[in-house]
Amino acid sequence: MNTPQQRSTLTIALCFIVALIEGFDLQAAGTAAAGLRQTFALDPKMMGWVFSVGIIGLLPGAFFGGWIADRIGRKKILIGAVTLFGVFSLLTAYVDSYSHLLLVRFMTGLGLGAALPNLIALCAEAVDERRRGTAISVMYCGVPLGGALAAVVAMFAHDHWQTTFIIGGLAPLLVVPLMIMLLPESSVFRQSAVHATRVSTAKALFGEGRAISTTGLWLSYFFTLTVMYMLLNWLPSLLLEQGFTKPQAGMVQMLFNIGGTLGSLLGGLLLDRCNPIKVVLSVYAGLLAALAGVGFSVGIVPMAMAGFAAGLFVMAAQLVLYALAPPLYPTTVRATGVGAAVAIGRLGSVAGPLAAGQILAAGAGTTGVLLATSPGLVIAALAVITVISRSTQGLGLKTAPAR
């Protein structure tokens, strides 16, 4: 790889492959939910913990994965993270008890969490500022594509739910050697590390006028990921609860992920090319409308359309957040800043599946679950607009120096 353009292309391509595998593993438990429920005799609350314990692992994984990467490099931590979630995803297929299932899902989440801030940082630093949102979009569209593949595998695997986790474990382990040989370390990070002066985590996140922007970013991550992970984990079960068949639920889940792929691409592209506040308003308004469609649709055609729209808008919202985070922070603390935001979002990721399980157990039904998420999305949209508004005043996105 002799030219910067070649290194950028290779970085984004390899990060896309990792994101594809990550998306597969993130949705593995959701697509295998029926088999897990039957094998381990799980009630809705227990299923909520199966979904949430992996997400709990994402939280420390995201924070410490970013924090350590700012000290020893993005590439090393990413390779370690991919190895970790590959091993424990594979082990999920062979557990023999509920407690062991929770343990391996937590460890899988730890690896998945550590991978994401480094994928974002590597792609953000591989291109110039004008193409940052697009680069992150191209990388991140691998996540919903991976989720769609997980849904397809689950449809063909029928009652053999272990197949999903075997594929989800072997794929990352096969990619690790390619990453070791081919993935370049961020040149921006290497240059900055030479002259880096270490600062405290608090100063990295809240110093130099970043307190309000960081807080707004965290609020938007929390509430947006609450909805995203509720849908990722509970959508098939919610559809079954509404009377749709398992193949119909699988089809809607697949359309949700296809919509998410399109949303991932559009989120960064629009952010690079259009007024960001208008993009945010459109995305969150569309997400609220799509959730209403999922809650009130009675036929498979309108439900399929609502599922596609929900995937498109929730992934576009998340991609906007992922594209906004890196330029808020200088290079020497960028992975820490992104990792902290992702970790806060994981708190919402934990809350979403757990809350859905509790609401369903209380008998509120699908509509009750979806209506409960609406106020949080309004808060998320307002928080993102605050971050963007401050960035245009020179307090964030365009002015964080690479030092």
Side-chain angles (χ1 to χ4, degrees), residues 36 87-95 101 104-105 108 161 165:
L36 290 168
V87 168
F88 283 96
S89 180
L90 187 60
L91 289 176
T92 304
Y94 301 101
V95 294
L101 177 63
V104 296
R105 295 318 297 161
T108 302
W161 59 267
F165 296 105

Side-chain angles (χ1 to χ4, degrees), residues 135 156 245 277 292 353:
F156 284 100
T245 65
I277 292 179

Side-chain angles (χ1 to χ4, degrees), residues 5 9 27 49 66 74 76 96 98-99 118 120 134 150 153 164-165 207 243 251 253 283 287 293 307 314 394 401:
Q5 181 62 45
T9 301
Q27 294 201 41
W49 276 108
R74 285 76 160 109
K76 293 177 183 177
D96 56 4
Y98 177 59
S99 60
N118 289 289
I120 295 171
T134 302
V153 168
T164 297
F165 296 105
M251 182 189 71
Q253 179 83 350
V283 165
L287 179 53
V314 78

Side-chain angles (χ1 to χ4, degrees), residues 120-201:
I120 295 171
L122 279 166
C123 288
E125 294 170 357
V127 297
D128 60 45
E129 183 180 298
R130 294 170 300 172
R131 297 184 294 146
R132 183 179 287 134
T134 302
I136 296 173
S137 281
V138 171
M139 176 276 292
Y140 196 77
C141 74
V143 173
L145 277 176
L149 288 175
V152 171
V153 168
M155 290 171 65
F156 284 100
H158 301 295
D159 295 328
H160 302 289
W161 59 267
Q162 295 90 343
T163 303
T164 297
F165 296 105
I166 292 171
I167 294 173
L170 290 177
L173 297 179
L174 292 173
V175 168
V176 163
L178 288 177
M179 296 170 64
I180 293 172
M181 292 184 294
L182 300 177
L183 180 64
E185 178 59 274
S186 164
S187 59
V188 176
F189 170 79
R190 287 200 309 269
Q191 294 165 9
S192 298
V194 174
H195 306 289
T197 300
R198 294 297 169 204
V199 299
S200 67
T201 301

